[in-house]
Amino acid sequence: MTDQRISRRRLLGLSGALGASALLPACTGGGQSSEASQAATAAASGPVSGAVTWWDQYRPLTKLFTEDVFAGYMKQHTAVKVTRREMPAPDLAQALQIGRRSKQLPDVHSIAGLEAAPAALVSEGWFSPIGDLVDVENSPVGPYLYDGIHRFDGKVYTFPVFTGRWHDAIPWTNTALLKSAGVDPATSPATWDEFRATARTLTEKTPDDVFGLVVPGKEAPYLDALVNRLAMTAGGSGGVDWKTGEYAYGSQPYLDAFEYLVSLKTDKVVHPASPSMGPRDARARWAAGQAVVYMWGPWFIGGLNVEEPEAVQRGVGVWHVPTPETTRNLVYSSPASGPFWVSSASKNPKTAADLMLRLATEEVQSKLASTMDVPPVLLDRVKGSKAHPTYQQNVAFMEQDVRIAPVPEVGTPGVAKVLATMRDIHPNVGEIAQSVLSGSDVDYKSALSNYAGKVTAERERALKAASKGGAEVDVNAWVFANWDPKQDYTQKSYDGR
């Protein structure tokens, strides 16, 4: 499973997975073939050798990493030994914190589960820049680099491997149970009301121990992401109103999202053990046939294929994310971030960076599509890949349903300094939802309004601190008056602000 959920501080800046710049056409940098680009990079970086340790949470990518990326690299560079450790995101975050304190960090790792924005981690000295070690700019992913996401203070620290055009509220379905309940797997319930009615039908017309859907509530980040996406389908832009720059957590779209989740709970169509489930627990329950629908990210089917392949063989389908009205609203996401970073503690940073850049080749990107995780940044590699037809259908749905929205730190580099100093505010959206769905008597309207107010105050404090530190930034960095909700916010859009 991929854990692509966004940390709280990054959520404050990106509005819960929002961003800018349309996907650029897939191509190799400078018009080179990927083989030539890789060879040029290797030549530029010189010989590589030594041991490289790699930690991540991408379970569906195990075979790709071990049999292709790492084995292929070690075959080309016989003096290199790569050792990978895969673990769930919460365990990874804990291991990274312990490793940092004990000076035993791996050479390359993801940052899943760490409650800090990349800008903050960069400022705290977690990572080594890689731009001087390998030629990222002229690699196939070069056109997808952004200041404040991949570059910090002019230095490249990471690069995108996956696309930004995705969301994590995709309704994945058990097609066998749909058919048994008389529901057409190929027809997406268009509206919230239709989805709610379908969930009731599925609960009523399946065995007593089967429910319409599962909504895991043990981990607040899952609910945080789900609420943000539902609020977008209700007409919101996410946590920030890009027209005004104000935090929108207390706005009507968020209230609508909470009301809708409560209505599903009231209908008793949600698996009753949901509050005690983490996302992987919920997937296992879904795979066991205890729930018909599970709203999660594009990596869902890849995880199934690795751990519950019988569920894929039985039948897995996918629907468009429903919206409140027949006139569809869109979901917004940020440009692809960098999933992997070279640790500042690495004893072999050149080798680590060179190994990491192997993920940018067209060949690996094509194989990445076949793993059915988050789609590759070179999105055209999905077509013609070995990915399951349902996965390819979902990618087509996301191309229709998702737009790329603004990212403040791309338009104003000083925003990164603000994000680096912003403190977490609790309870946040996910924690409020967690309380509500677990049965606590919570006034979510007041809680959301209070959260918005506290986040606003924290941003003001961080803005003042960043300005005193020399950053050129003010609250207008969060205002994008030329934002068109129906269109991608491209690089040219920043120039036209």
Side-chain angles (χ1 to χ4, degrees):
M1 176 207 79
T2 298
D3 192 323
Q4 290 290 318
R5 290 186 295 275
I6 298 175
S7 67
R8 169 51 42 195
R9 287 196 182 108
R10 185 159 181 74
L11 181 62
L12 299 182
L14 304 189
S15 182
L18 303 182
S21 184
L23 288 171
L24 301 173
C27 62
T28 55
Q32 298 168 290
S33 69
S34 58
E35 294 91 341
S37 178
Q38 185 179 14
T41 297
S45 60
V48 292
S49 63
V52 175
T53 52
W54 179 299
W55 293 359
D56 67 73
Q57 80 287 1
Y58 295 96
R59 186 170 297 182
L61 303 187
T62 295
K63 184 176 181 180
L64 173 66
F65 280 153
T66 57
E67 296 184 9
D68 190 303
V69 178
F70 299 155
Y73 190 84
M74 288 187 285
K75 184 176 181 180
Q76 292 177 345
H77 306 282
T78 56
V80 175
K81 173 65 175 177
V82 182
T83 304
R84 176 179 180 246
R85 182 182 177 190
E86 182 273 328
M87 64 195 93
D91 295 345
L92 174 62
Q94 184 177 21
L96 289 171
Q97 295 285 6
I98 294 172
R100 182 167 168 81
R101 289 195 296 269
S102 61
K103 297 183 180 180
Q104 296 181 19
L105 282 172
D107 295 282
V108 179
H109 63 83
S110 76
I111 58 175
L114 290 177
E115 289 295 322
L121 297 173
V122 169
S123 69
E124 292 169 6
W126 276 73
F127 313 122
S128 289
I130 63 174
D132 292 337
L133 303 175
V134 292
D135 191 2
V136 184
E137 299 280 359
N138 288 311
S139 76
V141 300
Y144 301 90
L145 300 178
Y146 290 88
D147 291 335
I149 297 179
H150 312 107
R151 294 189 195 92
F152 298 88
D153 294 326
K155 297 180 179 179
V156 176
Y157 280 80
T158 186
F159 57 85
V161 174
F162 307 103
T163 183
R165 199 178 294 278
W166 64 275
H167 69 89
D168 35 18
I170 300 159
W172 296 97
T173 68
N174 179 322
T175 57
L177 286 172
L178 287 177
K179 292 174 183 176
S180 71
V183 175
D184 181 7
T187 304
S188 301
T191 67
W192 282 5
D193 285 344
E194 290 179 12
F195 185 86
R196 183 180 177 186
T198 300
R200 289 196 296 265
T201 297
L202 293 171
T203 304
E204 293 168 0
K205 294 187 176 182
T206 52
D208 290 343
D209 61 345
V210 178
F211 293 84
L213 69 157
V214 59
V215 182
K218 184 178 180 180
E219 297 176 17
Y222 171 87
L223 294 176
D224 187 285
L226 180 60
V227 170
N228 271 280
R229 301 305 192 179
L230 290 177
M232 293 172 193
T233 68
S237 59
V240 173
D241 180 343
W242 299 123
K243 293 291 187 181
T244 65
E246 297 177 353
Y247 286 106
Y249 297 114
S251 65
Q252 193 60 47
Y254 276 86
L255 299 180
D256 290 345
F258 266 80
E259 182 180 356
Y260 186 62
L261 286 175
V262 170
S263 74
L264 294 173
K265 184 176 185 296
T266 301
D267 287 349
K268 298 182 179 180
V269 299
V270 179
H271 196 295
S274 290
S276 64
M277 296 184 201
R280 281 185 175 175
D281 301 326
R283 189 189 65 201
R285 296 289 190 107
W286 181 95
Q290 296 182 23
V292 187
V293 181
Y294 182 13
M295 300 179 76
W296 208 13
W299 54 83
F300 176 79
I301 188 171
L304 284 178
N305 200 45
V306 171
E307 296 191 350
E308 294 98 2
E310 66 281 357
V312 178
Q313 296 168 6
R314 178 192 61 210
V316 55
V318 67
W319 286 338
H320 278 287
V321 59
T323 61
E325 307 295 337
T326 53
T327 301
R328 295 185 62 80
N329 294 312
L330 296 163
V331 174
Y332 304 102
S333 287
S334 63
S337 59
F340 302 110
W341 305 72
V342 172
S343 169
S344 59
S346 174
K347 295 180 181 179
N348 295 299
K350 179 187 291 187
T351 303
D354 196 53
L355 170 65
M356 214 169 85
L357 196 60
R358 183 173 170 82
L359 296 172
T361 64
E362 291 180 344
E363 292 76 15
V364 171
Q365 285 277 299
S366 294
K367 292 179 180 178
L368 181 64
S370 299
T371 67
M372 300 184 292
D373 205 275
V374 176
V377 63
L378 304 184
L379 198 58
D380 65 348
R381 295 290 152 179
V382 176
K383 295 179 180 180
S385 72
K386 296 180 181 179
H388 193 283
T390 297
Y391 180 86
Q392 297 195 43
Q393 177 64 74
N394 176 56
V395 170
F397 281 168
M398 291 192 297
E399 289 188 276
Q400 298 174 40
D401 294 339
V402 181
R403 295 292 180 272
I404 306 300
V407 172
E409 61 264 44
V410 173
T412 307
V415 169
K417 300 293 186 182
V418 178
L419 297 181
T421 60
M422 287 187 74
R423 299 172 298 202
D424 294 337
I425 303 297
H426 298 283
N428 58 37
V429 172
E431 291 162 346
I432 296 168
Q434 197 172 42
S435 296
V436 170
L437 295 178
S438 66
S440 299
D441 185 15
V442 176
D443 180 356
Y444 60 79
K445 182 176 182 179
S446 295
L448 289 168
S449 179
N450 290 338
Y451 177 66
K454 290 179 180 179
V455 173
T456 299
E458 175 58 17
R459 183 174 64 180
E460 286 297 323
R461 185 202 64 78
L463 276 166
K464 292 178 181 178
S467 296
K468 288 182 180 179
E472 296 182 1
V473 59
D474 59 31
V475 73
N476 289 321
W478 280 262
V479 178
F480 296 85
N482 64 340
W483 177 59
D484 180 351
K486 300 297 182 183
Q487 303 295 326
D488 288 329
Y489 201 85
T490 67
Q491 191 64 56
K492 290 183 179 179
S493 303
Y494 288 98
D495 300 334
R497 288 177 68 186

